[in-house]
């Protein structure tokens, strides 16, 4: 069993804001992340699939094909978007935190990886130089 | 003459949009950067001052003090902001491109660096992994 | 189950030296790391907690709060310190190797992470561009 | 149980080419990687061993010794080589993909790590800025 | 006057070999770089243009257009190539060292940058983690 | 005229301390950098030489030879050293700040670069992720 990782990137705006809360509570909990006029990040997404290398090609999955799947199903939709407003697979009631994004991205990617005969193993989403979230599809 | 550089960071939202232009022209010229709902970046700012090291301290300028000047006059205002809407030193008629930002940041920083007896030499503003702008204060 | 990582840094001096050994044996085993006058490193600490994102905030733990815990309990004590002499939670009889440090840092952090309702999952301590240690709290 | 990682590098040429296939099929499957005149990469190899820190030295394994093992048994043979033609432990019938290389490198390293009383835990081989393979010795 | 830099990448094989020299002399001068079976690198190319930001767009040059020029005239030809054999703008009698490449790339790029109304200022070509060449078009 | 850069590294301990000053003044001016028990850094040194590529070899200077000069005359003396106590070319009366170090390193390197028929152009010494000094040999 070998693991192959492909990295893609996207740049997006977002804010953290719970509509049920007062302005004061939002500022108290989310600090500068609650700026009503948005802020943004350069995100870096790691997608790891696992499997056995094919005896002839030596591939678990063609890394170029994996890159295209990631861009078509996830990063082209997220790139230069507003994560709170523009993305069909991010529900309005969920905060676009790195933790929530990594689960939502998994749900988008997994069927397309399986359709290629590979198995999605791991996602890492890096939001800043000092913060990232990881997910293994665990309930 | 020695050059000392201090790096600070900020995360911000922006869009590129010329109000005098039609929607079509904005999309044609700025592409995905014209998304009306904004997008964003993790910016990295390099500030270089020059001078002779002080014979006793070995400093051109105290790097901690330089960091504080950059944060107080520039990056605390830019961090988690909307560059089109929130920042007093970015005029509404200028696009918040990396090229324009680096000139505007120079104008903010220079008097504070001079007040410390040092000379501002160079700014670099990194917008993404593949794009950055530089400025030496040249007309 | 999602994993969230926060990175903090510190710069410190140390040496590797077993007092029960002769100078020759220390040099033989530890090489340049045994320099009696110390040497030092820029350390980079990765702290990973796990949990389920909160349904309202989307947080496992507030990353800013996690950063403050790491600085207050660990990196502010280690920064600009001598790891052999200055740090209350590093016992004199243990060498300040990356392997030992990562265990000692775990012991400092774990109760504070638990007090926030999160679970410490993983630590990585990077000593140089080519060497790092990892720990999962395993006996 | 603590994990210690040492990173080494090598630069090499390779191509992906199945001799049983026509030129057209090779180009269709491998794209630009099938260039008959070769192409190349700067590879970065992460080698992780696990164990308990020695009570006196604080080492799982001497990182300098680990570096020497990796260079002597693997990276000195791979550096400035042609991975299809020059390396005794890469069989001609296997494509030198990152996935296959990481398994072959494991087989080379494992006995030498065991001979030092440590346990090989993990390998990562980074081929480009956006692609890497990982292996835990799993069948 | 502001400087804008765009970074592109390519992976290629090459060797250093003076045909007028004996095998022994080639090995003596070029060491492992003279391996007849080639070796390779992941190259990273920085292209800096200078100019005044346009009053409406804030651009010196559209960074996306600059990226396309670099790929069309240089990096698409170099990517997955053999630098000694495959590239029309690298003469056979010149060694494909980083120093020579950066001059040859300048000659390719300059007319296309000028045609966009911008001025090529600087190139940096990074060959490995520890070696790079720079060129300002100076005779 | 082309510029070639070689990067080398060293890890060292130091402190900033003016013996003519009181303890209080040292702490006031140098903060945590004045810790009497030292602290340390992973330093990264960039050495840039300039010249014309040799018509046969394509070299300004053999990068391997340049690396050996840097290690022999500078970084082997600095690595795992105490910059205040152990290094013959750092005078006791000068603080081992990045600014002073970069001048002292220039004085060590220049004659050896000239002896190879090349010209030393630029040094960069990186002390932390956010601070570095540069020097062009200017008085």
């Amino acid at each position: 069993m070998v693991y192959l990782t492909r990295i893609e990137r996207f740049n997006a705006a977002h804010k953290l804001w719970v509509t049920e809360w007062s302005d004061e509570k939002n500022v108290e909990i989310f600090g500068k992340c609650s700026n009503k006029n948005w802020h943004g990040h350069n995100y870096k997404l790691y997608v790891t699939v696992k499997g056995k290398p094919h005896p002839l090609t030596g591939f678990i999955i063609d890394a170029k094909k994996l890159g295209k799947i990631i861009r078509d199903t996830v990063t082209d939709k997220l790139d230069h978007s507003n994560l709170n407003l523009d993305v069909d697979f991010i529900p309005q009631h969920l905060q676009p935190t790195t933790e929530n994004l990594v689960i939502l991205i998994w749900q988008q990617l997994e069927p397309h990886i399986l359709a290629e005969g590979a198995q999605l193993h791991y996602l890492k989403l890096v939001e800043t130089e000092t913060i990232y979230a990881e997910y293994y599809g665990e309930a």
Side-chain angles (χ1 to χ4, degrees), chain A:
Chain A
M1 191 67 79
V2 180
Y3 301 80
L4 185 82
T5 298
R6 172 83 189 196
I7 301 170
E8 297 285 341
R9 295 164 182 283
F10 61 94
N11 310 319
H14 78 154
K15 71 177 168 193
L16 303 183
W17 190 269
V18 174
T19 50
E20 293 87 341
W21 289 351
S22 67
D23 287 20
E24 290 70 25
K25 176 135 194 202
N26 272 293
V27 171
E28 180 202 330
I29 300 297
F30 293 127
K32 299 172 83 170
C33 296
S34 68
N35 177 13
K36 288 187 180 182
N37 286 333
W38 321 96
H39 66 283
H41 299 290
N42 301 335
Y43 290 91
K44 193 172 173 183
L45 177 65
Y46 294 64
V47 177
T48 304
V49 300
K50 66 176 172 186
K52 282 185 190 303
H54 186 280
L56 268 185
T57 64
F59 284 164
I60 293 172
I61 188 173
D62 180 348
K64 279 196 205 67
K65 196 174 288 179
L66 178 57
K68 186 168 159 39
I69 291 172
I70 301 168
R71 289 191 300 275
D72 286 352
T73 63
V74 178
T75 54
D76 280 358
K77 295 179 179 175
L78 296 170
D79 191 36
H80 284 70
S81 80
N82 182 309
L83 301 175
N84 298 67
L85 301 177
D86 293 340
V87 186
D88 58 8
F89 64 81
I90 304 179
Q92 294 287 321
H93 71 280
L94 283 182
Q95 298 302 315
T97 59
T98 323
E99 293 99 314
N100 278 337
L101 288 171
V102 83
I103 298 174
L104 296 166
I105 291 170
W106 182 282
Q107 293 164 357
Q108 291 305 109
L109 275 176
E110 196 180 32
H112 298 275
I113 304 289
L114 283 169
E116 286 296 322
Q119 205 178 333
L120 184 56
H121 172 68
Y122 166 85
L123 293 182
K124 177 161 75 172
L125 183 61
V126 181
E127 191 183 73
T128 70
E129 287 263 320
T130 59
I131 296 173
Y132 61 80
E134 299 165 295
Y135 188 53
Y136 292 87
E138 299 169 283

